[in-house]
Amino acid sequence: MNCKRCQSELPNLLLDAQAAPADVIAHVAGCPDCAAKLNQLRATMKTLDHWTAPAPSAYFDTRLYARLREEIAAPPEGFFERLRSRLLFNSNHHLRPLMAGALALVLIAGGGTYAGLDFYHPQQQESAAVNDLQILDKNAQAIDQMSVLLQDDDQNGGGAQAASQQMNP
Ligand SMILES: [Zn+2]
């Protein structure tokens, strides 16, 4: 039995000395530190026995009933007011699955980003689309050049010369 475990058992010893474990009682009997803690707790409980809660103000009931009447007479709350009240003052047990789902989503998104698994790359998608368009553009240019070369071949018979002129005007 060490002092830390013994002191966690001290409230039980204080409230019901018979119900406390025997080793705790034995430790308190032999340990001055734990005995002092027990005496402090006893003194605190004795002080609380003499403490009486202050009486409420004479006008407390009157004001409370006046406020209740105001609340009853007030117009019904709108949708967002009711939602806010529910979120603030309810136990929100029914929202726990929703919150767990939202937290899981955050964890998946955060963990995926951390692990480099984010599949959503708007920048790369855009550059891939631009890349495709550039490839198509180059292909169109090449086809144009080929058709010009073929036409030149048909007309002049000097394909290489025409090609060099086409490439370096
Ligand atoms: Zn001790």
Side-chain angles (χ1 to χ4, degrees):
M1 167 69 61
N2 58 14
C3 287
K4 196 175 173 191
R5 227 207 100 213
C6 175
Q7 285 172 15
S8 71
E9 293 281 341
L10 282 183
N12 295 333
L13 185 62
L14 184 74
L15 294 174
D16 190 359
Q18 272 76 42
D23 54 346
V24 173
I25 297 170
H27 179 89
V28 169
C31 176
D33 279 351
C34 292
K37 290 258 183 204
L38 183 62
N39 283 334
Q40 284 174 356
L41 280 174
R42 278 190 181 131
T44 305
M45 293 305 266
K46 204 170 262 178
T47 310
L48 283 174
D49 283 343
H50 296 300
W51 183 77
T52 49
S57 148
Y59 302 108
F60 179 82
D61 285 350
T62 314
R63 278 187 304 196
L64 178 66
Y65 286 121
R67 286 201 62 186
L68 282 176
R69 277 193 299 273
E70 279 175 20
E71 285 297 318
I72 290 168
E77 291 178 326
F79 173 75
F80 288 107
E81 278 297 308
R82 272 182 290 150
L83 189 68
R84 189 173 151 268
S85 309
R86 280 184 80 138
L87 287 174
L88 280 178
F89 303 118
N90 258 19
S91 62
N92 292 329
H93 281 294
H94 59 289
L95 287 180
R96 282 190 181 173
L98 194 69
M99 288 176 173
L103 187 63
L105 200 65
V106 167
L107 283 175
I108 288 167
T113 307
Y114 178 75
L117 297 175
D118 46 343
F119 301 108
Y120 182 64
H121 289 296
Q123 201 66 36
Q124 286 189 2
Q125 277 176 0
E126 189 182 314
S127 69
V130 168
N131 205 19
D132 286 347
L133 286 173
Q134 284 173 342
I135 289 169
L136 283 175
D137 201 30
K138 280 179 190 167
N139 287 350
Q141 281 178 359
I143 289 168
D144 280 350
Q145 286 175 355
M146 291 292 279
S147 60
V148 165
L149 285 176
L150 290 174
Q151 282 172 5
D152 285 349
D153 275 350
D154 288 346
Q155 286 169 7
N156 304 330
Q161 199 181 0
S164 68
Q165 281 174 358
Q166 182 70 28
M167 297 296 270
N168 304 313

